[in-house]
Amino acid sequence: MRVDVVSIFPEYFAPLDLSLIGRARENGTLRLAVHDLRSWTHDVHRTVDDTPYGGGPGMVMRPEPWGEALDALAPDELSPDGHTLPRLLVPSPAGVRFTQAMAHELAAESHLLFACGRYEGIDQRVLEHAATRMRVTEVSLGDYVLFGGEVAVLVILEAVTRLLPGVLGNAGSLDEESHAHGLLEAPMYTKPATWRGHEVPEVLRSGDHGRIARWRRDEALTRTAARRPDMIAALPPESLDKRDVAALDRAGFQLPPGDVAK
Ligand code: JAH
């Protein structure tokens, strides 16, 4: 996968040289380039912002440097090596929610291009114009505001690159994780069996794989009901069997009335 990132703070991306993402870059799984937006400015002050039309606080990123950056990184004509246009992603508190499902979708792309806004954001015409020749997605990690899109890009890139074939050594850990099945995962434990007076639940040491699976399912349901009732409400009713409904009932969770349970 090819990834380009445009930012006025390219130093933010130094951590991408490290660890598993760094290894994916070394072995060619990930071809990542970070670009300084100011390299597409022409004035002596390398200006990237201006005051907002309509008034209001703060500054807005000027369209001209962004236009040139996107022209350079997503050329209009198809490149000779047959490369398709990138998918443009713009972190913004006004974007659609980034989810594990979107991470999977992005991991299937061959080229991602991230535009990191700062201040009050990027002149909207940049996105409008880009949308005339490539797929553009404004994306939000959650309902909070950062100084800019850089940290959001680090998060998205980590979520996406760990799904690329060959990046995660342990492929099994991909499909039993939180959010893969619409429930939070059960708690995990390792040795020693007793630590500072706290015990690992007996069932996990029993060797009874059936009991262990049921216990983990109950824990996942209980914990999800307590922490993320929205996720329980979103479960397809047919995904819950009678023991699931009983576990939720013990947790005091009121399921919406309806066709329940095998
Ligand atoms: C803030 C440009 N949902 C996380 C998120 C993503 C981007 C931004 N804030 C929060 C942001 C200022 C300018 C982007």
Side-chain angles (χ1 to χ4, degrees), residues 126-137:
V126 172
L127 282 72
E128 251 174 59
H129 179 262
T132 66
R133 55 190 164 106
M134 63 186 125
R135 293 161 298 151
V136 179
T137 309

Side-chain angles (χ1 to χ4, degrees), residues 65-88:
W66 279 112
E68 289 194 32
L70 300 187
D71 288 347
L73 298 172
D76 222 338
E77 62 286 0
L78 289 184
S79 53
D81 56 343
H83 260 310
T84 53
L85 286 162
R87 169 114 176 235
L88 179 62

Side-chain angles (χ1 to χ4, degrees), residues 154-185:
L154 289 172
V155 171
I156 295 167
L157 270 180
E158 184 154 325
V160 170
T161 55
R162 66 185 286 283
L163 300 177
L164 297 177
V167 171
L168 203 73
N170 180 4
S173 55
L174 268 188
D175 50 61
E176 285 199 10
E177 61 192 12
S178 286
H179 302 288
H181 302 304
L183 291 176
L184 303 181
E185 282 299 292

